């Protein structure tokens, strides 16, 4: 069988099949909870130096696959490479997170470039090619970008904030200027995702980590609509591409998000309500989630019970087992092993 015709359980679930044992991977599976990641991270220098070093980025992408045998690898990069390619200054301060030059007034926004310099993203494509050539054909490779709303929140504030107040305020006061940021991200993300597909990504995921801070009207305009445009823009050039959305915290607006954007699957956070998800989301698309990352730190019987809850709630339909958000650095590796064992022993 050639690589493309080898069935990948992860892709099958997104294509409409329910599998007896759900495929599994973890958001942020390459990261600081792994000693082998910390070793490469130290050699690489800064965080962006790691993202843009194809050899190192490919290596850390493959580390969790070797250790745990997950069903999907996600390319090691970050959502903030798009502002970087748009010419914004992006830095990562150790222990503090991202720092950008704030784009917090219509005047500053008028200087924003509409087109990205994609040569800056070439190392990500090279890392994808390397990973795909080394990866078992049964394992899917995920390419990704941030959703325009979430990427814009960091571009506007210049850093993470508890509730993304600066971006919400700018969007109320100067919606036309804010729309220029969103449009630049939509256009460059479409090109970037198409580049990732060409380099070997099998599936794409769009991370909207901050969708949940928006009221419904703003959610429609700044989360749903830009995501819909990215999905349509990618499929116009690459029909049939499987795409997963993650509007974190969307709650009761999730069925609407799924209907309007046309995604094939959604990541759900741990606060999701099972009946709503089963009846109005899982009936249409695959669901990915939703173990609380904190219970993975806690371990023990609390972890077993939480794993069983995810399986009982969602394994009757199309499920990709995952966390409800990224794994945290203090998570013991033994707890990840405990979770995997329990999921793989699942009998429906
Ligand atoms: O999932 C994976 O293993 C792939 C790699 C990945 C990273 N970031 C690596 C990373 C992915 C998919 C992301 C996405 C991302 N980046 C999101 C959306 C998903 C989410 O988790 O909410 C967001 C909001 C960002 C922006 C970002 N990058 C922040 C806020 C931070 C600092 C917080 C932190 O965890 O330190 C980062 C840094 C970052 N991105 C790290 C990793 C492994 C940690 C930095 C390090 O190793 O020094």
């Amino acid at each position: 069988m050639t690589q493309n015709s080898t069935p990948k359980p992860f892709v099958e679930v997104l294509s409409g099949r329910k599998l007896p044992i759900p495929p599994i991977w973890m958001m942020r599976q390459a990261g600081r909870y792994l000693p082998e990641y910390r070793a490469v991270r130290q050699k690489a220098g800064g965080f962006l130096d790691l993202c843009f070093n194809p050899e190192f980025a490919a290596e850390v992408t493959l580390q969790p696959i070797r250790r745990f045998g997950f069903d999907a690898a996600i390319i090691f990069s970050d959502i903030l490479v798009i502002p970087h390619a748009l010419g914004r200054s992006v830095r990562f301060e150790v222990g503090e997170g991202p720092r950008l030059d704030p784009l917090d007034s219509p005047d500053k926004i008028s200087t924003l470039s509409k087109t990205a310099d994609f040569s800056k993203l070439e190392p990500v494509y090279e890392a994808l090619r390397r990973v795909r050539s080394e990866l078992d054909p049964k394992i899917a490779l995920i390419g990704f970008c941030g959703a325009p709303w979430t990427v814009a929140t960091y571009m506007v504030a210049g850093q993470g904030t508890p509730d993304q107040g600066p971006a919400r305020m700018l969007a109320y006061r100067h919606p036309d200027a804010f729309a220029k940021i969103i449009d630049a991200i939509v256009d460059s993300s479409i090109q970037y995702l198409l580049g990732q597909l060409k380099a070997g990504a099998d599936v794409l995921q769009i991370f909207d980590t901050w969708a949940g801070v928006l009221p419904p009207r703003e959610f429609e305009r700044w989360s749903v609509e830009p995501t819909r445009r990215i999905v349509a823009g990618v499929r116009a050039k690459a029909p049939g591409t499987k795409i997963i959305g993650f509007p974190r915290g969307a709650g009761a607006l999730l069925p609407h998000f799924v209907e309007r954007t046309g995604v094939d699957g959604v990541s759900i956070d741990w606060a999701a309500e099972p009946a709503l998800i089963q009846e109005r989301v899982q009936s249409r698309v695959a669901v990915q989630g939703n173990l609380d990352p904190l219970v993975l730190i806690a371990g023990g019987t609390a972890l077993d019970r939480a794993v069983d809850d995810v399986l009982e709630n969602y394994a009757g339909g199309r499920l990709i087992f995952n966390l409800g958000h990224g794994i945290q650095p203090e998570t013991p590796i033994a707890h990840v092993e405990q979770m995997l064992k329990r999921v793989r022993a699942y009998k429906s």
Side-chain angles (χ1 to χ4, degrees):
M1 252 187 199
T2 64
Q3 166 143 320
N4 284 337
S5 59
T6 305
K8 298 175 174 57
F10 177 81
V11 179
E12 284 186 56
V13 172
L14 289 169
S15 308
R17 277 192 66 191
K18 174 191 145 6
L19 298 180
I21 296 177
I24 178 167
W25 69 285
M26 296 190 305
M27 258 187 262
R28 295 276 184 104
Q29 63 192 13
R32 287 163 293 185
Y33 73 106
L34 289 177
E36 60 269 35
Y37 170 84
R38 294 196 297 268
V40 177
R41 171 83 172 77
Q42 208 166 16
K43 270 198 287 181
F47 175 70
L48 279 182
D49 298 318
L50 174 55
C51 292
F52 291 134
N53 178 319
E55 184 192 337
F56 288 169
E59 168 60 21
V60 297
T61 301
L62 289 164
Q63 284 172 345
I65 308 301
R66 288 193 204 111
R67 195 188 259 274
F68 303 116
F70 289 125
D71 295 284
I74 182 162
I75 190 64
F76 190 84
S77 182
D78 197 82
I79 64 169
L80 298 179
V81 299
I82 286 291
H84 171 76
L86 283 168
R88 308 301 303 167
S89 125
V90 180
R91 310 173 298 284
F92 283 83
E93 309 277 342
V94 177
E96 290 189 36
R99 291 288 179 276
L100 296 83
D101 288 338
L103 206 50
D104 50 7
S105 70
D107 273 0
K108 286 191 206 161
I109 293 168
S110 66
T111 68
L112 176 67
S113 162
K114 287 197 183 67
T115 50
D117 176 358
F118 288 100
S119 68
K120 289 184 173 170
L121 304 174
E122 185 53 43
V124 181
Y125 303 147
E126 175 57 21
L128 279 156
R129 285 189 286 269
R130 286 182 188 218
V131 172
R132 191 58 275 178
S133 73
E134 283 186 43
L135 205 57
D136 185 309
K138 289 195 293 298
I139 300 175
L141 177 55
I142 306 170
F144 73 90
C145 69
W149 162 250
T150 286
V151 175
T153 63
Y154 291 98
M155 291 175 76
V156 170
Q159 61 182 72
T161 67
D163 58 3
Q164 308 302 21
R168 280 157 59 209
M169 190 62 100
L170 188 79
Y172 287 127
R173 285 194 170 138
H174 304 289
D176 294 342
F178 188 67
K180 291 204 175 77
I181 306 181
I182 295 288
D183 290 347
I185 303 170
V186 167
D187 293 345
S188 43
S189 298
I190 293 170
Q191 296 313 313
Y192 180 45
L193 291 175
L194 287 167
Q196 293 186 60
L197 285 173
K198 207 169 143 207
D202 302 296
V203 167
L204 302 171
Q205 176 148 341
I206 303 172
F207 288 93
D208 211 352
T209 305
W210 291 101
V213 300
L214 293 169
R217 176 192 296 276
E218 305 297 299
F219 176 72
E220 179 66 29
R221 179 160 187 192
W222 305 122
S223 174
V224 173
E225 182 57 18
T227 302
R228 187 197 64 73
R229 284 165 60 197
I230 293 179
V231 171
V234 168
R235 294 221 185 104
K237 294 270 166 56
T241 301
K242 297 291 170 234
I243 304 177
I244 303 170
F246 181 30
R248 185 170 73 106
L253 297 173
L254 201 56
H256 172 77
F257 175 92
V258 165
E259 234 168 87
R260 286 267 294 130
T261 58
V263 292
D264 304 282
V266 269
S267 271
I268 55 172
D269 57 74
W270 59 88
E273 201 281 302
L276 174 118
I277 299 295
Q278 290 158 10
E279 289 160 24
R280 299 189 50 212
V281 178
Q282 214 175 14
S283 51
R284 313 177 62 108
V285 296
V287 155
Q288 181 171 270
N290 69 338
L291 193 82
D292 184 347
L294 292 194
V295 86
L296 195 57
I297 300 175
T301 54
L303 174 58
D304 286 346
R305 199 172 50 219
V307 168
D308 292 351
D309 282 345
V310 173
L311 292 168
E312 273 162 33
N313 286 332
Y314 305 114
R318 288 194 280 151
L319 172 67
I320 295 160
F321 196 99
N322 204 311
L323 311 185
H325 198 195
I327 184 170
Q328 304 217 0
E330 57 271 45
T331 309
I333 286 167
H335 295 181
V336 177
E337 288 164 347
Q338 181 185 334
M339 170 190 78
L340 267 169
K341 211 168 141 198
R342 205 160 177 95
V343 172
R344 291 190 168 142
Y346 180 65
K347 290 206 178 56
S348 48

